[in-house]
Amino acid sequence: MPVAPSPLLDALGALSDQTRCRMLLVLERRELTVGELADVLQLPQSTVSRHLKVLADTGWVGSRRDGTSRFYSFDFSSSTADSGLEAVWTLARDQVAERAAAAQDQLRLKSVLARRAARSQTFFASSAGQWDRLREELFGEHFYLRGMLGLADDRWTVGDLGCGTGIVTSALAPFVARVIAVDASEEMLAAARERLGDAANVELRAGQLEALPIDPAVLDAATLMLVLHHVPDPAAALAEAARTLKPGGRLLIVDMLPHEREEYKQQMGHVWLGFSAEQMARLMEGAGFEGVRVHTLPADAAVRGPSLFVATGRRRDVDS
């Protein structure tokens, strides 16, 4: 009666060859191609490929394709990860690492990795003057701003105050635990509802900024995006934002710097023709915020609106 194959014995048997152990040592903390491994180990690529197949078949290495290249890495397979092989490898690794051949491998590995870096450096050295344009053509002008939303804490509850059609809420929702979006206009909330679909972590609420339908100290952060110039009493709206924030919670405001476009009052219902940095800092500090910073955003020649600023601050702890 034939004996069933043993994955554990096969995996152990793979370590009986010193070359395969050297290979695992090199792959332990990085990914390499067959060609790079051949350079590090000073072996023909065909020999490297043969050893890699043994290691892959016995669960010691995994691989992934990156374009036309395939990269190999140290990777216990699901069938062997719980079989004690990690302890076996620890013992084997200590033996292999002490050999002169392994030390030479590490020196050559540094050279291989340096070649990788050199290729990248050569590209940037020749493309520095065109890099911004090239990156914009490939990925758009503001890709990094969306990416930076990943810095938000995924445990946060965020208030999008004056949410309008929900564009800020839709950007925030994937990165935080909960978004409470508030607007006084039922039509705006309907548009936001259509934009957001069935987003499970978003609540849309009708309410005025001067009397927010949010309990005290619920929010970790809040935004007022191009909305404060519509509010008859900005100080009251900022005080309400502070009330809904936890101590230390952050408020982010984006709005217009002072301008002279009186027509905005008739055309778009603006109450205020922008805010100066000094005025905004005074309003925020008066509403209970500390660490207030106001920064003018770069002007965009392609847009028609007034220049903007961003203001941030932390809700002051009432006991401090």
Side-chain angles (χ1 to χ4, degrees):
M1 182 176 180
V3 178
S6 168
L8 175 58
L9 292 178
D10 289 344
L12 290 172
L15 296 185
S16 64
D17 185 280
Q18 181 181 338
T19 297
R20 289 197 285 271
C21 289
R22 287 169 56 200
M23 196 173 290
L24 288 176
L25 190 63
V26 171
L27 292 172
E28 197 171 25
R29 293 186 179 85
R30 68 212 35 94
E31 297 179 310
L32 296 172
T33 65
V34 170
E36 288 172 333
L37 273 169
D39 289 344
V40 170
L41 300 173
Q42 292 191 325
L43 292 171
Q45 290 194 21
S46 58
T47 301
V48 170
S49 295
R50 186 175 70 252
H51 284 300
L52 280 174
K53 185 176 188 310
V54 173
L55 292 171
D57 289 346
T58 52
W60 286 105
V61 301
S63 67
R64 68 175 183 86
R65 184 164 291 283
D66 188 280
T68 58
S69 301
R70 180 170 292 280
F71 286 85
Y72 292 84
S73 60
F74 189 99
D75 179 34
F76 287 111
S77 70
S78 58
S79 63
T80 59
D82 298 325
S83 62
L85 287 183
E86 290 188 62
V88 173
W89 168 243
T90 300
L91 293 173
R93 185 190 188 284
D94 291 343
Q95 298 269 334
V96 176
E98 293 175 355
R99 296 178 179 267
Q104 292 294 320
D105 291 342
Q106 293 302 315
L107 292 174
R108 287 190 291 269
L109 175 62
K110 289 181 181 179
S111 176
V112 166
L113 296 178
R115 283 208 307 267
R116 277 190 192 174
R119 287 195 294 270
S120 179
Q121 290 165 0
T122 298
F123 166 76
F124 285 113
S126 62
S127 305
Q130 307 174 49
W131 175 234
D132 286 347
R133 178 187 58 78
L134 176 61
R135 188 171 60 176
E136 183 177 331
E137 288 176 358
L138 291 173
F139 308 113
E141 187 176 0
H142 300 301
F143 71 94
Y144 59 93
L145 296 178
R146 280 296 186 102
M148 287 174 69
L149 287 170
L151 292 171
D153 194 314
D154 61 3
R155 298 166 295 182
W156 276 0
T157 295
V158 179
D160 183 9
L161 311 180
C163 66
T165 60
I167 188 169
V168 173
T169 294
S170 68
L172 281 168
F175 298 99
V176 298
R178 180 184 177 205
V179 181
I180 301 174
V182 179
D183 204 276
S185 167
E186 291 291 351
E187 291 76 15
M188 287 289 190
L189 289 172
R193 195 169 290 111
E194 183 175 353
R195 178 192 296 274
L196 296 163
D198 57 355
N201 65 333
V202 173
E203 297 177 37
L204 295 171
R205 300 181 183 179
Q208 301 289 334
L209 294 183
E210 300 94 325
L212 290 168
I214 303 174
D215 290 337
V218 168
L219 305 177
D220 297 284
T223 66
L224 285 163
M225 292 287 190
L226 290 176
V227 67
L228 207 58
H229 57 265
H230 286 288
V231 180
D233 189 351
L238 291 172
E240 268 293 273
R243 180 188 65 81
T244 63
L245 284 163
K246 300 174 183 176
R250 298 191 65 82
L251 178 66
L252 171 67
I253 300 171
V254 174
D255 219 300
M256 293 178 290
L257 289 166
H259 61 88
E260 298 179 354
R261 304 189 189 189
E262 289 280 350
E263 65 273 17
Y264 283 8
K265 292 185 176 182
Q266 287 74 42
Q267 293 174 354
M268 294 179 283
H270 290 199
V271 178
W272 307 100
L273 298 181
F275 304 92
S276 69
E278 295 78 11
Q279 181 184 11
M280 184 52 53
R282 186 170 61 252
L283 283 168
M284 292 182 70
E285 288 165 359
F289 290 93
E290 62 184 5
V292 173
R293 293 182 296 170
V294 184
H295 177 70
T296 300
L297 294 176
D300 186 344
V303 303
R304 297 182 298 167
S307 296
L308 303 176
F309 67 85
V310 58
T312 60
R314 297 183 304 275
R315 180 197 163 178
R316 190 182 304 118
D317 192 332
V318 292
D319 296 328
S320 62

